[in-house]
Amino acid sequence: MSTIFDRILDGELPCHRVFENDHVLAFMDIAPISAGHTLVIPKERKARLHELSDDAAAELGRALPRIARAVCKVSGSEDYNVLQNNGAPAHQAVFHVHFHIIPRPTANVGLGIDWNPIEAPDPAEYAEKLRAAIAEDAA
Ligand code: AMP
């Protein structure tokens, strides 16, 4: 399914471009929650982070700190959140992988987070299951 970010990648919609190479595009968010709110997307067209190829993921990983450095420099804030939503319940509205870089110049500007620790399942058991899943994925 085509998204609004596909249309930006295809040049059908404009954006305020911040960075572009063969694998990654970064541009200003159209509805920023703080000054400098920037989106970083892979050119690979996948909805969720875990669907990305290793190469696309590596390229995103290379670009993110570089773009974050620019956001820090220009916004004047060394404090920021990187947000990456997957799925509608997780607040994803555009189903093309994207990272938000959101300056947090003060405690009440930028991304507010409601962080509610739960009564978690046994972490040792959980970690074992995760190790097995990662091993299976790598095989
Ligand atoms: P998310 O909730 O993580 O899917 O966030 C999607 C983000 O895309 C929101 O912050 C929107 O403001 C942003 N957005 C939607 N359309 C555009 C657009 N045409 N140009 C730039 N940002 C956009």
Side-chain angles (χ1 to χ4, degrees), residues 5 13 21-22 27 32 34 46 48-49 53 55 67 69-70 83-84 93 100 103 108 111 119 125 132:
F5 293 171
L13 281 180
N21 66 16
D22 288 345
F27 51 97
S34 71
K46 292 286 161 50
R48 297 173 190 239
L49 182 68
S53 67
D55 284 350
I67 298 160
R69 281 194 290 277
L83 175 69
Q84 203 281 311
H100 300 253
N108 55 2
L111 183 68
E119 200 66 49
E125 253 178 53

Side-chain angles (χ1 to χ4, degrees), residues 3 22-23 28 31 37-38 41-42 44 47 79 83-85 93 105 108 112 127 132:
T3 71
D22 288 345
H23 310 280
M28 304 310 294
H37 182 165
T38 301
I41 72 172
E44 188 170 273
D79 303 321
L83 175 69
Q84 203 281 311
N85 299 324
N108 55 2

Side-chain angles (χ1 to χ4, degrees), residues 1-106:
M1 200 182 68
S2 178
T3 71
I4 204 146
F5 293 171
D6 291 299
R7 299 185 63 202
I8 288 175
L9 284 172
D10 291 341
E12 293 169 13
L13 281 180
C15 71
H16 294 287
R17 188 165 51 88
V18 166
F19 173 83
E20 182 167 16
N21 66 16
D22 288 345
H23 310 280
V24 173
L25 176 69
F27 51 97
M28 304 310 294
D29 195 292
I30 204 168
I33 60 170
S34 71
H37 182 165
T38 301
L39 298 176
V40 185
I41 72 172
K43 291 193 173 177
E44 188 170 273
R45 297 172 191 223
K46 292 286 161 50
R48 297 173 190 239
L49 182 68
H50 65 268
E51 296 169 345
L52 285 179
S53 67
D54 284 354
D55 284 350
E59 292 293 342
L60 266 176
R62 283 168 59 83
L64 275 165
R66 193 168 170 191
I67 298 160
R69 281 194 290 277
V71 171
C72 287
K73 188 171 181 183
V74 176
S75 70
S77 173
E78 287 260 304
D79 303 321
Y80 58 96
N81 293 96
V82 175
L83 175 69
Q84 203 281 311
N85 299 324
N86 298 276
H91 210 283
Q92 185 176 16
V94 179
F95 285 82
H96 181 120
V97 173
H98 53 281
F99 286 75
H100 300 253
I101 300 176
I102 307 168
R104 183 80 163 163
T106 65

